[in-house]
Amino acid sequence: MKVSLFITCLSDALYPRVGEAMVRLLARYGVQVHFPEEQTCCGQPAFNSGYWDEARTSAQTLIRAFADSDYVISPSGSCTGMIHHYFPKLFENDPALLASANQLREKTYEFTQFLVNVLGVTDVGAKFPHKVTYHPSCHGSRLLGIKQEPLQLMEQVRGLDLIPLPFAEDCCGFGGTFAVKMSDISGAMVAEKADHVLETEAEVLVGLDLGCLMNISGHLHFRGKPVRVMHLAELLYEGVIVSEQR
């Protein structure tokens, strides 16, 4: 299979180690990952702000970039959700581009969905002896229906103590441009989310969307709280390294 990595803006600019962890985990199962360099933003910030023409331009770039890929995988439920739910909306009046958008939608997966539902992998052989709590981001859980996949993966990590997060499905307040336009409300929401994270007494907060993780991590750092914040791909790969060293 020809698998391409859709890295997303935040991972490319701020969290490249997440993409590296994904590629190295997939390589363990014989999956060679390609990175089309012409890829760009999915257009979600423009779309959410009402700039649909600009969003279409970004969407067309992605459609071209991944035209020859069998699968496209991403570390973001939010950006994957944009492709699944809103690319068809952008091109509903253009039959040719609508067909191409639907082709991209059908082969694009969030990382844990690809690992569990396509490759059939739930145990990567990781060891991570820490107390962990999990934040299910809004777009991943609501737009893509990601529920069990990350939990199945964490349940198989040796030594991982998964602690339920109170009010887990409440939004963290990031919401992309929402955090800028409604900063007071966003700040109150992330403060509440951080309170619930601290309530678990977990050492690590894990999630699937870097925007949410960046938001929560920033607030915890502001409050001087030493909770480590990780994307699940990072946790799994670090756990594999720990397991192989012992």
Side-chain angles (χ1 to χ4, degrees):
M1 63 178 70
K2 185 175 181 180
V3 176
S4 294
L5 178 64
F6 170 36
I7 194 58
T8 77
C9 300
L10 280 178
S11 182
D12 179 47
L14 299 175
Y15 302 100
R17 63 183 180 271
V18 174
E20 294 171 4
M22 290 170 55
V23 170
R24 289 170 177 164
L25 282 169
L26 291 170
R28 296 170 60 84
Y29 301 98
V31 177
Q32 297 300 313
V33 179
H34 302 263
F35 181 82
E37 293 186 5
E38 62 269 33
Q39 65 181 276
T40 187
C41 176
C42 67
Q44 184 175 179
F47 179 84
N48 289 344
S49 299
Y51 296 101
W52 284 28
D53 287 341
E54 289 78 1
R56 288 187 187 94
T57 300
S58 293
Q60 289 180 65
T61 301
L62 280 192
I63 289 170
R64 289 192 299 269
F66 297 119
D68 296 329
S69 305
D70 297 323
Y71 293 95
V72 178
I73 58 169
S74 170
S76 167
S78 179
C79 299
T80 303
M82 175 68 187
I83 292 172
H84 273 244
H85 286 267
Y86 300 120
F87 273 27
K89 181 69 175 175
L90 285 171
F91 300 113
E92 61 184 354
N93 296 318
D94 187 325
L97 282 172
L98 176 60
S100 297
N102 282 326
Q103 289 174 358
L104 178 59
R105 174 179 58 83
E106 290 168 3
K107 63 186 180 185
T108 300
Y109 291 81
E110 181 275 331
F111 173 67
T112 65
Q113 289 185 314
F114 181 79
L115 202 60
V116 173
N117 300 331
V118 177
L119 296 185
V121 174
T122 56
D123 187 352
V124 300
K127 182 177 182 180
F128 194 82
H130 299 283
K131 295 168 66 175
V132 176
T133 194
Y134 167 64
H135 167 64
S137 60
C138 297
H139 284 177
S141 59
R142 292 173 173 81
L143 289 183
L144 297 178
I146 300 171
K147 300 292 184 182
Q148 295 304 314
E149 293 91 343
L151 299 178
Q152 289 175 288
L153 289 162
M154 285 186 282
E155 285 168 359
Q156 299 300 321
V157 176
R158 300 193 303 279
L160 189 151
D161 182 9
L162 184 60
I163 304 169
L165 179 63
F167 303 98
E169 295 194 3
D170 284 3
C171 178
C172 74
F174 180 62
T177 56
F178 172 79
V180 177
K181 295 177 180 178
M182 304 288 186
S183 58
D184 289 346
I185 298 173
S186 174
M189 292 172 73
V190 73
E192 184 176 61
K193 175 64 68 173
D195 287 342
H196 295 315
V197 171
L198 296 171
E199 184 180 335
T200 68
E201 299 184 348
E203 302 166 76
V204 178
L205 169 67
V206 70
L208 305 179
D209 259 298
L210 291 169
C212 304
L213 295 176
M214 178 179 67
N215 192 37
I216 302 169
S217 175
H219 187 81
L220 289 168
H221 179 74
F222 174 76
R223 290 168 62 172
K225 303 299 182 181
V227 179
R228 190 178 180 193
V229 180
M230 306 175 72
H231 190 281
L232 182 55
E234 294 177 282
L235 184 153
L236 293 174
Y237 185 63
E238 183 174 311
V240 166
I241 294 174
V242 170
S243 180
E244 291 179 345
Q245 289 176 341
R246 298 182 178 182

